[in-house]
Every structure is written in structure tokens, then in C-alpha cells.
Amino acid sequence: MATRAQKTRLALFFLISISVLVGFLLVVAGSHWFKSRTPYTLRFEDIGVGGLNKGAAVKYLGTTIGRVEEVYIDSVAITTVNVDVSVDPKQSNAITDETRAAIGNLGITGLKYITLIPGSPSAKPLPPGAIIKGDETFLADFEKQAEVISAKVEL
């Protein structure tokens, strides 16, 4: 049978262990969740965004600078898909009024990411919350041309 002192030490051990675990989780997860980010909205007009999911990477010149927060159809223009992204504030100065967005493929998985195409160095930085126009990638244009060619071959 355990004595009162042993029970007290065991309870104290559990309280300290749980406190250390909770503190560790708050430091690790909190640094990711509560990190300030700069929001932008990307507009893809008549461009398919299949495979682009919440949490996908946003890359600038191959470097990951943010993530996709939301993908939704525009409430006014139903052929437009809006993508809300958040970017690390240290990197947001690279996003200018000439920056364009395109969708890239992650290998053969079908998953996609956003790649930001820079404008000229003299362009003005975009303010937080601004809209960035989405462009088609080379592969998307290539797929459309392949569909046209296959339709002609069938005829």
C-alpha cells in the first residue's frame, strides 16, 4: 500500500510532466498558429485550379513564402476562382503590382501549388489584401492545345 508521501510525489510528478508537455506544445504549435501573415487574394479567371487545396505552398522563385488559406468561387463572376493566400511578412515586399500567380504541379501526384511570378524590380509593392491576377502555366496552355489537336485528328 502506497503511503501519503508517495501519492503526493506521484501527483506532483504528473502535474509537472503535463505542464512541461503543454508548454512544449504551446511553444511549438503557437509559433506556427499565431505567426502574423500578410494576406493576398489571387483571381483565376477561366482557369481550372483542380488539385489546389487549402494548405498548399505559395512559392516565389522556387522558395516557399506562404500557404493557401482558402479556395472558392467568386460570388459575382462564377467563372472566376479566388484563392486566399497568406505570405510571411518578411517576404511580402517582393510582391509588387506586376506580380502574377500561376499554378504549378508537384510531380505526378496531381497536387498543385501557387507560384508567384515576379515583375520588374522598379514596380510598387502591393498592400496587404490586394488582388493578384492569376495566369495559366505553360502546361495548362499545352493541355488546351492538345485537346484542340486531338479533336481535329478525330475529324
Side-chain angles (χ1 to χ4, degrees):
M1 181 114 192
T3 65
R4 180 176 168 92
Q6 289 173 330
K7 290 180 183 178
T8 304
R9 281 190 293 228
L10 184 61
L12 187 61
F13 171 76
F14 279 125
L15 285 174
I16 291 172
S17 299
I18 290 172
S19 298
V20 168
L21 179 64
V22 168
F24 176 75
L25 290 176
L26 285 175
V27 167
V28 172
S31 67
H32 182 70
W33 287 339
F34 302 118
K35 188 178 192 181
S36 68
R37 304 187 70 77
T38 305
Y40 293 98
T41 298
L42 313 177
R43 292 178 57 89
F44 292 95
E45 297 176 13
D46 295 322
I47 299 172
V49 296
L52 183 66
N53 298 319
K54 185 176 180 178
V58 175
K59 297 184 178 197
Y60 186 87
L61 297 176
T63 303
T64 301
I65 63 168
R67 67 176 178 255
V68 172
E69 298 295 337
E70 183 108 24
V71 179
Y72 57 95
I73 298 170
D74 192 271
S75 60
V76 176
I78 61 170
T79 60
T80 300
V81 176
N82 292 330
V83 179
D84 290 341
V85 298
S86 62
V87 174
D88 182 4
K90 294 176 189 170
Q91 310 296 328
S92 64
N93 62 340
I95 300 174
T96 65
D97 56 0
E98 294 180 5
T99 300
R100 296 291 174 252
I103 298 175
N105 293 320
L106 286 173
I108 61 171
T109 62
L111 296 175
K112 307 243 168 109
Y113 66 92
I114 298 290
T115 182
L116 297 176
I117 303 162
S120 67
S122 62
K124 298 179 212 162
L126 274 180
I131 294 175
I132 300 171
K133 185 181 181 323
D135 288 334
E136 286 190 313
T137 60
F138 169 75
L139 289 178
D141 189 41
F142 184 72
E143 287 173 2
K144 282 185 180 178
Q145 290 178 2
E147 288 177 17
V148 170
I149 291 171
S150 68
K152 288 181 179 179
V153 168
E154 286 179 14
L155 290 174

